[in-house]
Amino acid sequence: QDGASVSARGFGPCRVLAMAEDLEKLTVVQLKEKLKEQSLPVSGNKPDLIERLREHLAKQEQQAADVPAGEAQAPESTGAAEEDGDQPAQADAEQEAPLAEDPPAEGEAGGAEEKPPPAEGEEELSGEGPPDQEEEEEGDERKADDYQGEDDRADEPQEGEYDRGEDPEPQVDEQEGRDDSHMDYDPEEVKADYDAQEDAKDEDMKDEDKDVAFKEEEKEDAKDQYFEEEKPSEAGRSEDPRGEVEQDAPEDPRVRLAAGALQVGAAPEATLNCAPACGGKILMALCDGGFQHLTAATRASVGIKAGRYLFECRIVENRLMNESGKVRVKQHVCLGFSTKGSSIMLGDSAEGIGFDSEGYFVKAGEWSRNRLTSRFAHYGPVYGVLLNLDPGSPNMNTVSVFCDGERLCRPQTLPESMRGKVLYPTINYKNMTLQVNFGPSSWVKMPFMCRMLQDAAVDDVELAASSADSGSKPEVLFPIGLPDQGTFEWLDGFLKENPKFTELSNRSLLEWGVKSGLYRSRNAWPGCNDKPDMNFGVREIDEYNLQSLIHSVAPMLPRDYIVMEVRNNLLREERAKSLANFAGGAFRRVAVVVVGEPTAAFKAKAQGQTLEEKRKKVGAEVRRQKEADARARREKKAAEEKKENGEGDAKVVEEEEEEDLEGAVLKAEEVCQLTDEEMKACWFPLKDNEDLTKKELGRHFSSFTLPDTAEGFDEVRYLWQGESEAAEYLKAWVSERKLTQRVDDLQPGAHFKEQVAAWNDQLQEWRRRHGERRDLPRRRGGEKNRRLEKKDERREGEDVPGNGKDEQGEGQEHAGEEVEEEEITLDAVDPMCVEDILDICSGEPLFANFSWEDWAMLTLRFELHLLVHSYRLDVNDPERPSFAESQLSFYYDKYFKKQLSVKHFGVNSNLELLALVRDTIEVTPKKLILDPQLSVDAPFDIFVRLTEEHRRDRQCRFDLGDESAQLRLQQERGRSGGQHQGGDGRGQYQRQHASGGHQQQRYDGGRGGQPAGYNGQSGYSSRGDGGSGGGSQSGGHRGGSGGASHSSRGKSAIGQGSGQASRYSSGAQAGGAPP
């Protein structure tokens, strides 16, 4: 109470009680520091640390209460008894008290009283105490070591006791030569020295583990039920403060494991970057060219099935690699156990367990959220992993980790998936060099006697077979299979049956990177199975440079490989390069051909997968339909019935409907079966990703070949069909792909360019003639109006005799003009029999009645005709006469440099578009290949004849009431068709019904290539304004703001017009075509 009484650890009673109440507020790091100050164990989670410190403080409180006020507790003496009684020990305790005492907190009642100088005849000991006192004060050894700055300590006396009658010899400081034996003891100076050193220790701790305190505080506060530590049973608990319950291993007379039987780092239980040395005692890793981002892993060749055995590991090198890319290069190690056949990556399998160098624990593929141990130190500490399968031990079916013989945490239980199985030591590491020890003797002393794995009894272990035991050459397999025809599915089944083979492929590299902890972007494009997109942010991996390095390293490691590359294994040149990597006779090179009709077992697997997918679709459809019907019934019932207990009834009805729904879905799935056609067609399983991209397949599939022994293979195996059947199958497959696979690198040839240029010139000439012919009636109408105006003026000015004769002559003149107009007709002329399409009668062209829709169809016919023939000439392959209709848009864009939009032609698919021009291009019914109907040298006028014939047929069908004959072409305003390079000349009519029931027609010309006489800006219009009836009507021709416009070959000349209306007489009926 007065602050003078001090416990054995330097705490007053009031401070002891205060600390016991505030322990919950401390972090894990602070609790461990308090335990270190008291020389107590620091392992365990936060509740264990608090309980351990609280028990210790309670003992100190009890000791402090038993000591009278003003007296210091003397340490218990366990050494030789002093002849002079308790006085020397008490004096020593008084001198040591300031060293162990913490500075009093502010506000405490009283303070630590300063100790008086030593009495006469007693010398103050500045050095270490006597040996017996050191044994008594073993718990304070850590505090005594804190004063490393004060090296002025006296050597230990030669005698076991001090002669209190004589002073010890003075001790001289070696550095300054001063005599410290007669110095006065200054408690304040020692206290200040102690505080400074404690502050320095705190700063060092903050610099080294700056972020650890916050992470540990957050993680330790979280509850992790899965990794909750199991406490030993009360019956097996000992008095050891660490709770050690393991007993010494008894003598075992059974036969031991033979020396050298245990191997580590041997194939196939090791990754390619694992490089064992010194007979497997040193584990190194390749750390260049991208290997620094991949975890090296290995599994020992001896597994434990009974007993309790240990193996040890020490980190002898920690490599700091230069970072390349966005991914940080890390160093770590994980020690544990796994079962045979499972992944050697401890965090990737449900049958793996291990302790990580960061302090975390992995169990059945799940990592603990809290650290169970401190981080592994480098260059010195020995870490041991103990597997306990002894049924007589309280820690049966557990795994433990030790550091220099001290347990770091409580034993961790094995998952259910690993119990009763043989467990093999497994080591994962990255950018480190490890030294491993499997026995027969351990490097450090354990708290109990335990045997190493090399010293295990033969009955307790199982020896795994190694590929080196066969004595034959390792094999290198090269699978040859067609894309999307079960190649990777066959490989998965082969590796499952033959785990000794190591796969060399891009997909295996991708899987290795994911297991090594590399993050793959979520929006990564999956790519193809043969060459998937990595997207790890590591340049060496993303650009496939590491794959080339792997192919260079693999021949140096004798093991069985399977080189899986779909494209390269089908190309003769690429196969030669792969065979060169394994030259020298060290490997047996075998080509495995999986081409043709697969085996019955393989087809049954594919059919089962197809049936499962079909049943899922049927079940989903039935569920959707039933849910919709049930929802409709409930809504109808809720609208009709309104009862007080309606909610309860509705709930019962919903439960019954749910039962009926599940029953209907199960019944529908059971009934669903594959048809005979589906059974015959289903040879290969369905897959989400394709084996090769369409671009790669289209570029190389015509060069695919089957291997032979002349290429350098020691053997060629045909697994599905014989050599001749496989060759015929490949030939048929290539021929079919030539008709359906597009050619991405195809470029337009000279024939196409010449034909396009000639067509543009010819089309422009036709459009010009068409424009002049349509403008002729307008000019004739203007002349007649001028003559009528002059005659009206003469009639108004004078009375001319013989006027009736003139009127009769004028009437005859008009009648002659009408007869002349009626003689211009095209219906009686057969388009196919006309000699000159520019003059069928009286200078009238065959395309006189063409609208903009007809010009668009004319251009479409020629373009498709030219496209198919140019493709055949440019590809220059007899097996590729044409292409599929699904590739029409691709080749149209590649040749004409513009998109083909079927919507502009009023249809929804390529087949509907081709049906409009079936007189030029037909589609084969089975393979949907475009078949041209005209020869390559067909004249241009044949397309005009076909277009006119099609126009008459449409008009006839439309007059008979068939509205489907009408074209529904859509034209973007401002664009025109008809020619390439400089405008296509297409225009657009807009029909509107004006008041009085008459039609208004408006033609909008396009940019460049439009017919002469039409304004590309405001257009040409012919309006009928008038009443509801009348034999003739008055038409008005109104010029645009820019007057008339004439365009030829993209050039326009605009004349200035007055903008005033001119009247003329027109014989066109209401709703007729414009002149």
Side-chain angles (χ1 to χ4, degrees), residues 275-334:
C278 301
K281 296 181 180 179
I282 299 295
L283 294 180
M284 306 178 68
L286 302 180
C287 301
D288 195 13
F291 276 123
Q292 66 270 23
H293 298 280
L294 301 179
T295 299
T298 182
R299 183 157 47 206
S301 60
V302 175
I304 305 172
K305 60 182 179 181
R308 184 188 67 182
Y309 296 100
L310 172 78
F311 76 91
E312 296 173 327
C313 177
R314 177 191 285 121
I315 303 174
V316 298
E317 183 183 20
N318 186 22
R319 299 187 179 182
L320 300 177
M321 307 300 299
N322 295 328
E323 299 183 7
S324 59
K326 303 178 182 179
V327 181
R328 178 182 176 185
V329 180
K330 299 180 180 180
Q331 300 83 22
H332 77 90
V333 62
C334 187

Side-chain angles (χ1 to χ4, degrees), residues 162-344:
Y162 287 99
D163 186 2
R164 298 302 176 182
E166 297 181 3
D167 295 339
E169 296 182 1
Q171 305 297 328
V172 180
D173 187 81
E174 296 179 358
Q175 296 180 359
E176 299 182 4
R178 59 183 184 183
D179 187 356
D180 292 341
S181 62
H182 300 286
M183 288 183 62
D184 294 337
Y185 185 82
D186 189 359
E188 292 296 331
E189 182 179 352
V190 174
K191 182 178 178 181
D193 235 352
Y194 175 80
D195 292 341
Q197 294 184 12
E198 286 294 317
D199 293 339
K201 283 176 57 181
D202 293 341
E203 292 297 326
D204 293 339
M205 182 190 69
K206 292 179 181 179
D207 293 338
E208 295 176 358
D209 300 327
K210 187 175 182 180
D211 57 337
V212 175
F214 300 97
K215 293 182 179 178
E216 292 228 345
E217 182 178 359
E218 294 175 0
K219 293 180 179 179
E220 292 292 347
D221 292 340
K223 295 181 179 180
D224 191 355
Q225 298 295 336
Y226 185 78
F227 293 95
E228 183 179 1
E229 296 182 341
E230 297 183 2
K231 298 182 180 180
S233 60
E234 295 294 335
R237 191 182 297 274
S238 64
E239 297 300 329
D240 190 343
R242 298 180 185 272
E244 187 60 68
V245 296
E246 298 285 355
Q247 303 297 327
D248 292 343
E251 293 292 335
D252 191 352
R254 295 179 296 175
V255 178
R256 297 289 192 273
L257 189 65
L262 191 150
Q263 298 179 3
V264 63
E269 302 294 345
T271 56
L272 291 175
N273 59 342
C274 177
C278 301
K281 296 181 180 179
I282 299 295
L283 294 180
M284 306 178 68
L286 302 180
C287 301
D288 195 13
F291 276 123
Q292 66 270 23
H293 298 280
L294 301 179
T295 299
T298 182
R299 183 157 47 206
S301 60
V302 175
I304 305 172
K305 60 182 179 181
R308 184 188 67 182
Y309 296 100
L310 172 78
F311 76 91
E312 296 173 327
C313 177
R314 177 191 285 121
I315 303 174
V316 298
E317 183 183 20
N318 186 22
R319 299 187 179 182
L320 300 177
M321 307 300 299
N322 295 328
E323 299 183 7
S324 59
K326 303 178 182 179
V327 181
R328 178 182 176 185
V329 180
K330 299 180 180 180
Q331 300 83 22
H332 77 90
V333 62
C334 187
L335 309 175
F337 293 86
S338 62
T339 60
K340 184 176 180 59
S342 64
S343 175
I344 57 177

Side-chain angles (χ1 to χ4, degrees), residues 313-318 333 356-359 373-383 403-404 408 432-434:
C313 177
R314 177 191 285 121
I315 303 174
V316 298
E317 183 183 20
N318 186 22
V333 62
D356 188 74
S357 58
E358 297 296 318
T373 66
S374 58
R375 293 181 176 178
F376 287 10
H378 306 158
Y379 317 114
V382 176
Y383 293 91
C403 178
D404 290 336
L408 296 182
M432 286 183 176
T433 301
L434 307 177

Side-chain angles (χ1 to χ4, degrees), residues 954-968:
R954 291 197 325 269
Q955 185 65 36
C956 181
R957 291 165 53 195
F958 183 76
D959 293 342
L960 295 176
D962 186 4
E963 296 183 357
S964 62
Q966 183 179 3
L967 294 176
R968 294 178 175 82

Side-chain angles (χ1 to χ4, degrees), residues 18 22 95 156 233 363 474 592 958 985 1021 1052:
D22 297 338
Q95 295 178 10
E156 294 181 2
S233 60
K363 178 179 178 181
V592 181
F958 183 76
S1021 64
S1052 61

Side-chain angles (χ1 to χ4, degrees), residues 548-652:
S548 302
L549 181 59
I550 289 176
H551 282 274
S552 300
V553 173
M556 305 177 188
L557 307 175
R559 61 173 69 186
D560 294 321
Y561 295 103
I562 182 165
V563 182
M564 186 62 215
E565 293 182 349
V566 176
R567 182 184 69 89
N568 291 347
N569 290 350
L570 284 167
L571 298 176
R572 189 182 186 91
E573 298 79 7
E574 297 297 333
R575 288 197 298 265
K577 296 179 182 178
S578 300
L579 288 172
N581 292 332
F582 297 92
F587 295 88
R588 191 168 185 269
R589 302 172 295 183
V590 180
V592 181
V593 181
V594 283
V595 175
E597 182 178 355
T599 60
F602 191 90
K603 289 192 292 185
K605 182 179 179 181
Q607 292 167 0
Q609 182 181 354
T610 305
L611 178 59
E612 183 179 357
E613 294 294 331
K614 184 177 180 180
R615 287 178 174 177
K616 287 182 180 179
K617 293 180 180 179
V618 172
E621 180 63 24
V622 172
R623 183 184 300 275
R624 186 191 63 80
Q625 186 64 33
K626 292 289 185 181
E627 289 178 350
D629 296 342
R631 184 166 54 253
R633 289 195 300 269
R634 288 195 300 268
E635 292 177 356
K636 183 178 180 181
K637 185 175 181 180
E640 294 177 354
E641 300 178 0
K642 294 183 179 179
K643 299 180 181 180
E644 296 181 357
N645 57 349
E647 296 181 359
D649 294 343
K651 185 175 181 180
V652 174

